[in-house]
């Protein structure tokens, strides 16, 4: 009896606290608040790489770290990409620019094969490329967290729900794991979420104005980038029309009436969560 009463009181207190936090959070939204939220969400994914020592030995994760570093050095040396299994091209290209930038500012000793072999310690120069790539992965994770929150904020029109979803995503195991290694899945997932967001927005726009060609073009570009980053993401992309059919129209009708329903907030969150689950399990 005491246990049951204690559980009821704890549940009631938690509901009151959440309701109070939600009401206080919903009162004011200023540019400073939005910037603060973005900074917090951007910084949260940095804890995992720093905790696991971002400067650890470059052979700690030989599966892709060494392979990606080699491809990046190939691109910066004017050579071709040796394999197209993922394809990984967009990720390799962005990382090669990141390594070049580090070389220009003197943050890493070598940005191409010629500079690696010309250095006093080629192995250490190669290791610095891997470490620079880890910083790049962490940066992408931070950007992904902010983008995820922004998508939830627009789709749900609810600051509290978007903040909770953004915080949970920023500290999720999948994002932390991807921030530790040089793999293309995280960047591809970012493009997948962007494509899903713009498809849902296109559905809403079509219901309101009857035309959404520019938004569909952006969604198509995101789909193309997702596949050029990770070819196997096609399995997730093929399910997107189903998500849009299930959730796009209802949200558009509520937008037309300028009303917000909790159900639409939840379904939008679930739709994006399903996409993230598919990306993590199928790729």
């Amino acid at each position: 009896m005491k246990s049951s009463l204690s559980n009821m009181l704890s549940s009631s207190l938690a509901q009151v606290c959440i309701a109070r936090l939600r009401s206080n959070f919903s009162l004011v939204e200023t540019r400073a608040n939005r910037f603060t939220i973005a900074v917090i969400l951007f910084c949260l994914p940095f804890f995992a790489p720093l905790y696991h020592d971002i400067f650890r030995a470059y052979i700690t994760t030989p599966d892709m770290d060494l392979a990606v570093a080699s491809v990046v050095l190939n691109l910066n040396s004017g050579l071709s990409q040796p394999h197209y299994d993922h394809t990984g091209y967009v990720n390799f290209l962005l990382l090669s620019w990141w390594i070049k930038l580090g070389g220009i500012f003197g943050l890493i000793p070598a940005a191409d094969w010629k500079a690696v072999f010309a250095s006093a310690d080629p192995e250490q120069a190669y290791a610095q490329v891997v470490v620079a790539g880890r910083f790049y992965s962490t940066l992408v994770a931070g950007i992904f967290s902010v983008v995820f929150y922004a998508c939830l904020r627009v789709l749900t029109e609810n600051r509290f729900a978007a903040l909770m979803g953004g915080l949970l995503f920023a500290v999720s195991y999948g994002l932390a794991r991807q921030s530790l290694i040089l793999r293309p899945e995280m960047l591809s997932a970012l493009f997948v979420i962007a494509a899903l967001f713009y498809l849902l927005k296109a559905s809403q726009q079509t219901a309101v104005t009857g035309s959404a060609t520019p938004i569909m073009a952006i969604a198509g570009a995101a789909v193309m980038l997702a596949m050029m980053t990770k070819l196997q993401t096609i399995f997730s992309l093929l399910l997107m029309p189903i998500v849009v059919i299930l959730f796009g129209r209802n949200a558009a009708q509520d937008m037309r009436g300028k009303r917000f329903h909790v159900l639409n907030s939840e379904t939008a969150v679930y739709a994006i969560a399903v996409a993230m689950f598919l990306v993590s399990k199928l790729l």
Side-chain angles (χ1 to χ4, degrees):
M1 183 66 179
K2 286 185 178 181
S3 177
S4 177
L5 181 60
S6 175
N7 290 337
M8 290 178 60
L9 290 175
S10 299
S11 177
S12 300
L13 181 61
Q15 292 177 4
V16 170
C17 291
I18 292 175
R20 180 62 62 87
L21 177 62
R22 184 172 183 173
S23 62
N24 290 339
F25 182 77
S26 301
L27 289 177
V28 180
E29 183 183 34
T30 64
R31 182 175 298 178
N33 288 344
R34 291 194 295 268
F35 178 77
T36 301
I37 292 172
V39 169
I40 292 173
L41 292 174
F42 178 79
C43 292
L44 281 175
F46 282 71
F47 283 99
L50 293 176
Y51 176 79
H52 290 279
D53 185 11
I54 200 168
F55 296 101
R56 63 192 180 276
Y58 73 100
I59 58 174
T60 304
T61 314
D63 173 33
M64 280 295 289
D65 285 9
L66 301 183
V68 170
S70 297
V71 173
V72 167
L73 291 173
N74 269 17
L75 294 180
N76 287 346
S77 301
L79 304 175
S80 61
Q81 182 177 332
H83 54 80
Y84 298 90
D85 301 333
H86 289 289
T87 65
Y89 178 70
V90 176
N91 190 56
F92 297 150
L93 185 64
L94 293 178
L95 184 52
S96 69
W97 293 345
W98 175 260
I99 298 300
K100 278 184 179 179
L101 190 64
I104 291 173
F105 287 98
L107 300 176
I108 56 176
D112 54 41
W113 284 119
K114 182 178 180 180
V116 168
F117 291 117
S119 62
D121 189 348
E123 182 180 6
Q124 183 59 27
Y126 187 86
Q128 290 299 313
V129 173
V130 175
V131 172
R134 291 172 183 162
F135 277 101
Y136 162 83
S137 294
T138 306
L139 178 65
V140 173
I143 294 173
F144 199 170
S145 295
V146 176
V147 170
F148 190 81
Y149 163 76
C151 291
L152 289 181
R153 177 68 184 87
V154 173
L155 290 175
T156 64
E157 298 184 0
N158 186 293
R159 292 185 291 274
F160 181 80
L163 178 61
M164 293 299 101
L167 288 173
L168 290 174
F169 180 76
V171 299
S172 64
Y173 170 79
L175 191 68
R177 185 72 183 90
Q178 287 293 319
S179 67
L180 297 173
I181 54 180
L182 309 185
R183 292 190 66 90
E185 284 87 351
M186 180 168 56
L187 184 62
S188 181
L190 174 57
F191 291 131
V192 169
I193 291 300
L196 177 59
F197 169 77
Y198 282 109
L199 284 174
L200 290 171
K201 290 297 294 180
S203 176
Q204 297 172 356
Q205 186 70 20
T206 302
V208 175
T209 65
S211 176
T213 302
I215 300 178
M216 286 296 295
I218 298 174
V223 168
M224 179 189 68
L225 290 172
M227 291 190 61
M228 290 183 66
T229 306
K230 180 74 174 179
L231 184 61
Q232 291 86 341
T233 197
I234 187 173
F235 299 108
S236 300
L237 297 172
L238 288 174
L239 295 177
M240 282 191 181
I242 300 175
V243 176
V244 175
I245 291 172
L246 291 176
F247 304 115
R249 290 290 182 176
N250 291 336
Q253 292 171 2
D254 290 328
M255 285 184 62
R256 187 185 303 174
K258 302 299 180 182
R259 300 189 304 273
F260 173 78
H261 293 285
V262 176
L263 178 61
N264 291 321
S265 171
E266 292 176 349
T267 52
V269 173
Y270 291 155
I272 296 181
V274 167
M276 290 305 304
F277 175 80
L278 291 172
V279 168
S280 64
K281 293 297 182 182
L282 294 179
L283 302 185

